[in-house]
Amino acid sequence: MASNRGLAYVKPGVVELRDIAFPELALGDRKCHHGVILKIVSTNICGSDQHMVRGRTTAPEGLILGHEITGEVLEKGRDVEYLEVGDLVSVPFNIACGRCRNCKEQQTGICTNVNEARPGAAYGYVDMGGWIGGQAEYVMVPYADFNLLKFPDKDQALTKIRDLTLLSDILPTGYHGAVTAGVKPGAVVYVAGAGPVGLACAASCHLLGAAVVIVGDLIPERLAQARSFGCETVDLRKDASLADQIAQIVGVPEVDCTVDCVGFEARGHGHSHSVEQPATVLNAAMEVTRAGGGIGIPGLYVTGDPGGVDDNAKIGNLSIRIGLGWAKSHHFTTGQCPVMKYNRNLMQAILYDKIKIADAVNVQVISLEDGPSGYQDFDKGAAKKYVIDPHGIVAA
């Protein structure tokens, strides 16, 4: 039997590398004829993983982490028709059947057949169907013909793997936030959060033709990373209001669109920046977005948060000033990104050098053994996107 190792969530603040079972083409006690086993080429640490590792979800001990996966087909099931052993593929973090109503309407983030608990599933994530994560050496992917994006030229793809690895989640997620907020040529956009998703969103805003992209964060190194590819920035530690800082950049205290790339662990602005205030970003977005503008919300909000600041926050009940959004006729879009809606076109943008996403998010390649330290550094606010290279393929 071949061996396999994966990064496991042990307890808040602790991730360790463990020996785990080699994947099988099986779903419980039945064969998964529509699946493939992948040798993982790259797998990324995500801010959503970090929520679990901080103990801010109900994730169980021993959960194998990782929903951002790129891999090589090692074995395929009997019913897989359009993929071959050796193909290099991107794995959308959404697990989707391709058969239900939502999948057929391109809403693959809320497939109704892959998670008994609720619509939508993901690899290695709490309450998302119990699927084994991909921060490992090998993983099983179901519904392979539907889910997987094959790179047309394997050798070419490997030369751009630091960029293409981001197709599994953060680039489509950032792009989805921008699209749903209404970003278009000439738009003035505020992106809340300069973590990897926020930076990917800012780069996507440029791809979509935005005139000005303003990124806000509390960490100077992340703001510097945003400036490195042409963004304006606001330092949310300052006592000057967000609206005033925006006015200093564009002359008026408002923007056309806002994208919330922070989520439920948001902190206050100004003198209260050290205090968690989970509704801060949403309320600030309504304040600074012009009447008739849009707010995209790819940042994660949860229904269960053991570390919430109060009883309401622990069940995802936040003090949102929805009356302001209603009065300004804002439109809001929430939820997981349906990766398959965007990943093929974004792949083309990468392959034809229309976006340098690895540079924008500052990809740092590490080994599987260095995964636990990668989590620690990321938790400290490192202005990097950690890409795990289990077999040394990316480094080579």
Side-chain angles (χ1 to χ4, degrees), residues 7 10 65 71 76 81 108 143 162 194 226 231 246 294 305 309 316 328 364 367 386 388:
L7 292 174
V10 178
L65 300 161
K76 68 174 193 173
E81 296 186 72
T108 51
Y143 306 104
R162 294 169 68 258
C231 299
I246 288 172
D305 173 13
V309 294
K328 296 175 78 172
Q364 177 77 38
S367 67
Y386 288 100
I388 297 170

Side-chain angles (χ1 to χ4, degrees), residues 309-333:
V309 294
D310 54 38
D311 288 341
N312 282 325
K314 288 178 180 178
I315 58 171
N317 188 355
L318 309 183
S319 298
I320 298 170
R321 194 182 174 194
I322 192 65
L324 177 60
W326 188 94
K328 296 175 78 172
S329 293
H330 288 156
H331 65 264
F332 303 79
T333 303

Side-chain angles (χ1 to χ4, degrees), residues 108-120:
T108 51
I110 44 174
C111 173
T112 56
N113 285 332
V114 289
N115 183 356
E116 293 181 357
R118 63 178 72 181

Side-chain angles (χ1 to χ4, degrees), residues 42-324:
S42 60
T43 176
N44 318 325
I45 297 176
C46 180
S48 298
D49 298 322
Q50 202 65 270
H51 294 307
M52 292 186 290
V53 172
R54 291 188 186 118
R56 299 300 298 268
T57 71
T58 55
E61 186 272 336
L63 175 72
I64 300 302
L65 300 161
H67 55 271
E68 301 189 13
I69 306 165
T70 304
E72 179 183 0
V73 177
L74 189 70
E75 180 183 346
K76 68 174 193 173
R78 180 194 66 196
D79 296 340
V80 178
E81 296 186 72
Y82 304 112
L83 294 167
E84 300 297 338
V85 171
D87 285 346
L88 186 63
V89 296
S90 179
V91 185
F93 79 88
N94 324 110
I95 301 171
C97 73
R99 297 154 169 80
C100 70
R101 173 180 176 176
N102 287 341
C103 283
K104 290 181 178 181
E105 293 179 357
Q106 287 193 306
Q107 299 202 61
T108 51
I110 44 174
C111 173
T112 56
N113 285 332
V114 289
N115 183 356
E116 293 181 357
R118 63 178 72 181
Y123 304 90
Y125 208 83
V126 60
D127 296 332
M128 295 302 286
W131 298 86
I132 295 171
Q135 285 173 14
E137 294 171 320
Y138 303 92
V139 73
M140 196 278 283
V141 173
Y143 306 104
D145 277 331
F146 180 69
N147 280 294
L148 297 180
L149 174 65
K150 175 185 171 180
F151 297 131
D153 184 320
K154 185 176 181 179
D155 291 337
Q156 179 197 28
L158 286 171
T159 67
K160 293 181 175 289
I161 193 64
R162 294 169 68 258
D163 299 277
L164 294 171
T165 189
L166 305 175
L167 288 173
S168 56
D169 183 356
I170 68 162
L171 178 54
T173 292
Y175 188 87
H176 177 65
V179 168
T180 56
V183 177
K184 58 187 178 181
V188 176
V189 189
Y190 174 60
V191 177
V197 169
L199 296 171
C201 178
S204 297
C205 290
H206 286 148
L207 187 64
L208 290 164
V212 183
V213 181
I214 305 167
V215 179
D217 204 284
L218 299 165
I219 300 174
E221 292 79 9
R222 290 185 167 182
L223 293 174
Q225 183 62 28
R227 288 192 295 272
S228 75
F229 60 97
C231 299
E232 302 287 343
T233 59
V234 294
D235 186 341
L236 298 174
R237 298 172 303 168
K238 294 182 177 179
D239 286 336
S241 71
L242 173 60
D244 286 344
Q245 291 193 65
I246 288 172
Q248 290 173 13
I249 297 168
V250 294
V252 292
E254 64 181 19
V255 295
D256 298 311
C257 324
T258 294
V259 189
D260 173 5
C261 297
V262 177
F264 73 105
E265 286 193 67
R267 295 185 176 274
H269 296 169
H271 65 276
S272 61
H273 71 267
S274 62
V275 180
E276 188 168 304
Q277 297 180 358
T280 299
V281 174
L282 294 173
N283 286 327
M286 289 183 281
E287 178 188 352
V288 301
T289 303
R290 67 171 178 83
I295 300 170
I297 311 173
L300 177 66
Y301 290 87
V302 295
T303 56
D305 173 13
V309 294
D310 54 38
D311 288 341
N312 282 325
K314 288 178 180 178
I315 58 171
N317 188 355
L318 309 183
S319 298
I320 298 170
R321 194 182 174 194
I322 192 65
L324 177 60

